[in-house]
Amino acid sequence: MLNRRQLLGAMGAAGIGIAATACSTGGGQPAPGATAAPTGELKGTVHIVTPEFAGTDGKEAFEGKILKAFTDKHPGVTFQVDYTPWDKLNEKLSTLVAGGQPSDLLMTGMGWTEPFAHKKVLTKLDKNAVLGDAKVLDALVKQGSFNGDMYAMPFLLESRPFAYRKDLFEKFQISTTEPKSMEEFNSLLEEVKSKSGLVPLDMLGQNLRQIWGQMIFAFGGTQFSPDGMSITFDQEPGVKALQWMVDLQNKGLSDFNFKVPTGQPSAYQQDKTLMAWGSSGAWPQWLKQTPQLTEEGKLGIMLMPTVNGSKVLYQGGTLVGLSTRSQNSAAATAVMQHLITPDALTQASLFSGKVPARSDLPPNPELAKNKLLDFSVDNLQYSVTDGGTPAWMEIRGKMDPELEAAVTGKKSVADTIASLKKIAEDAIGRIK
């Protein structure tokens, strides 16, 4: 069950990557040059680009509930919402920026803040004015920050632990003890394959860039230097992480060909695997398509161990930024303040299945049913993410084809790393 105790407990623990150390609340002085808190009567249209709230149900959740609650208080404000899917979002935002007409509010992903802040697409925010008294993990505020200033407000998080079929593990007499090392995790996959006869893990059918990002941390490395201006993924941990992914495919422990179109039942849902790299955001889809998999006796959840005895949990997410070209920054800032309220975040989390950014939401019986979300909240201290360079938007879209070539045997690991290194160094060189 999602509650204050669990989130605060997670915040107090030390970890790696974007690991949490404390929470942020209002108070203090605004950063110089940051947008001010809105005052007076609000009116006009607020334009929003969002990769969340897809489909008719999403539109109803966002405009019919979340934004309606805002206009009930501010009837002079109207909205124009552009629902752009994640795989088209970077292109959409780039087109808007190039055309000089970006929306007032831009919803982006983890790792996107540095590039858009560096290009002056996002406005520096007054953290205290935007967040108010909301308790938000400092590590998440950091994900929305660039050079120490906040440029995007954390909104929703998407963690990816490993889900497994507890009932089938018991049927095939496979231990459910969580692996404590990479060797134990690899042995578990081999055991699942030998005893069940199935491909053990649904992982390579998902985003290869994000998998590699997590596994570099699992092997004890990073992708970029702390200032994001040089690469580190070409070092031993990055090479070992990619080799591990290639070995998964070659040994039949996971299958790149298990990819399915967005919204379709995954290989795990189709009983092709006993384990899945499961997103908390997949929970609503599981409930609709394969509710039996969410039952207590069938769902087990575990984390990825690391070479140094810790664990990792890949963390994506959605942040909200204010465009530097906003024509209605007062109303747009007030909308950001509304989006971080408990009611708005609860509605957003109920629809998306993703983890709400603030830690002090009241208990909700529907949110409590999302076991992947609950597990993610309990283990936020192990969170890692990819990116971390102002050149990320030029790099990220070129990584998957290179990684796919390695996983499918069309390119060696060494040649793939060399290609990725050239792509990243060229992109970073253009912003120096």
Side-chain angles (χ1 to χ4, degrees), residues 201-231:
L201 176 62
D202 180 13
M203 187 175 190
L204 293 182
Q206 302 185 47
N207 187 295
L208 297 176
R209 168 181 58 79
Q210 294 171 342
I211 298 168
W212 190 45
Q214 169 177 296
M215 295 311 300
I216 290 176
F217 282 103
F219 278 94
T222 58
Q223 287 185 301
F224 300 96
S225 59
D227 65 359
M229 299 307 286
S230 60
I231 68 168

Side-chain angles (χ1 to χ4, degrees), residues 3 57 87 90 98 173 186 202 205 221 266 298 318 349 368 382 393 422-423:
N3 58 37
D57 291 344
D87 61 345
N90 184 29
Q173 298 183 323
N186 292 334
D202 180 13
S266 65
K298 292 186 177 179
T318 306
S349 188
Y382 301 117
M393 303 313 296
K422 185 176 188 315
I423 290 170

Side-chain angles (χ1 to χ4, degrees), residues 34-36 46-47 102-107 120-125 130 151-153 320-334 336:
T35 182
V46 175
H47 298 257
S103 291
D104 299 291
L105 295 179
L106 312 174
M107 291 195 183
K120 303 187 186 308
V121 173
L122 297 177
T123 299
K124 186 188 303 183
L125 301 173
V130 171
Y151 284 84
M153 177 190 76
V320 185
L322 174 65
S323 168
T324 52
R325 294 179 180 270
S326 172
Q327 300 298 305
N328 198 353
S329 61
T333 302
M336 296 177 75

Side-chain angles (χ1 to χ4, degrees), residues 53-366:
F53 309 107
T56 303
D57 291 344
K59 181 180 175 70
E60 172 58 24
F62 193 44
E63 296 185 57
K65 295 179 180 178
I66 296 173
L67 296 183
K68 182 178 184 304
F70 181 87
T71 53
D72 285 345
K73 296 179 179 178
H74 304 284
V77 176
T78 59
F79 290 96
Q80 183 173 328
V81 183
D82 185 337
Y83 300 93
T84 300
W86 279 107
D87 61 345
K88 304 292 184 185
L89 185 60
N90 184 29
E91 180 182 354
K92 177 74 175 187
L93 296 179
S94 298
T95 300
L96 288 173
V97 171
Q101 294 180 326
S103 291
D104 299 291
L105 295 179
L106 312 174
M107 291 195 183
T108 60
M110 293 285 188
W112 295 38
T113 302
E114 294 94 336
F116 283 109
H118 182 267
K119 292 182 178 179
K120 303 187 186 308
V121 173
L122 297 177
T123 299
K124 186 188 303 183
L125 301 173
D126 179 348
K127 181 174 70 175
N128 303 309
V130 171
L131 298 181
D133 62 356
K135 295 185 180 299
V136 179
L137 300 174
D138 274 350
L140 301 181
V141 174
K142 183 179 178 182
Q143 285 295 308
S145 301
F146 177 64
N147 287 340
D149 293 315
M150 179 173 156
Y151 284 84
M153 177 190 76
F155 185 43
L156 295 169
L157 319 173
E158 182 237 346
S159 295
R160 297 190 184 179
F162 289 101
Y164 66 93
R165 288 290 300 273
K166 186 183 290 186
D167 58 329
L168 296 183
F169 268 44
E170 293 173 355
K171 174 184 175 180
F172 293 116
Q173 298 183 323
I174 300 167
S175 172
T176 58
T177 302
E178 187 166 323
K180 300 295 190 297
S181 67
M182 292 288 295
E183 290 74 18
E184 288 184 11
F185 188 82
N186 292 334
S187 295
L188 172 63
L189 296 182
E190 295 281 4
E191 183 181 4
V192 171
K193 181 181 179 181
S194 65
K195 290 183 176 179
S196 71
L198 297 173
V199 173
L201 176 62
D202 180 13
M203 187 175 190
L204 293 182
Q206 302 185 47
N207 187 295
L208 297 176
R209 168 181 58 79
Q210 294 171 342
I211 298 168
W212 190 45
Q214 169 177 296
M215 295 311 300
I216 290 176
F217 282 103
F219 278 94
T222 58
Q223 287 185 301
F224 300 96
S225 59
D227 65 359
M229 299 307 286
S230 60
I231 68 168
T232 54
F233 62 67
D234 63 330
Q235 298 173 7
E236 183 176 284
V239 176
K240 285 187 173 180
L242 183 53
Q243 186 62 57
W244 182 83
M245 293 165 61
V246 172
D247 290 344
L248 280 188
Q249 178 76 11
N250 291 341
K251 294 178 181 179
L253 301 178
S254 189
D255 194 335
F256 172 76
N257 298 307
F258 279 171
K259 281 181 177 295
V260 297
T262 301
Q264 295 300 308
S266 65
Y268 177 74
Q269 290 179 271
Q270 297 178 51
D271 293 332
K272 292 181 178 178
T273 71
L274 270 60
M275 301 175 66
W277 199 44
S279 165
S280 62
W283 188 262
Q285 179 176 321
W286 287 12
L287 284 179
K288 288 182 180 178
Q289 297 173 340
T290 50
Q292 71 278 7
L293 298 182
T294 66
E295 297 172 2
E296 189 66 37
K298 292 186 177 179
L299 177 61
I301 311 175
M302 66 174 68
L303 292 173
M304 185 78 214
T306 72
V307 294
N308 61 17
S310 185
K311 304 170 185 176
V312 292
L313 175 64
Y314 182 83
Q315 184 77 69
T318 306
L319 303 98
V320 185
L322 174 65
S323 168
T324 52
R325 294 179 180 270
S326 172
Q327 300 298 305
N328 198 353
S329 61
T333 302
V335 174
M336 296 177 75
Q337 293 172 324
H338 172 72
L339 292 176
I340 200 70
T341 60
D343 286 347
L345 268 181
T346 297
Q347 290 295 333
S349 188
L350 283 172
F351 171 77
S352 66
K354 298 181 180 180
V355 182
R358 64 184 293 170
S359 63
D360 50 351
L361 294 188
N364 180 284
E366 289 301 313

Side-chain angles (χ1 to χ4, degrees), residues 231 233-234 242 402 411-425:
I231 68 168
F233 62 67
D234 63 330
L242 183 53
E402 294 292 335
K411 204 167 188 176
S412 70
V413 169
D415 287 345
T416 301
I417 296 289
S419 295
L420 290 169
K421 180 178 180 180
K422 185 176 188 315
I423 290 170
E425 289 184 337

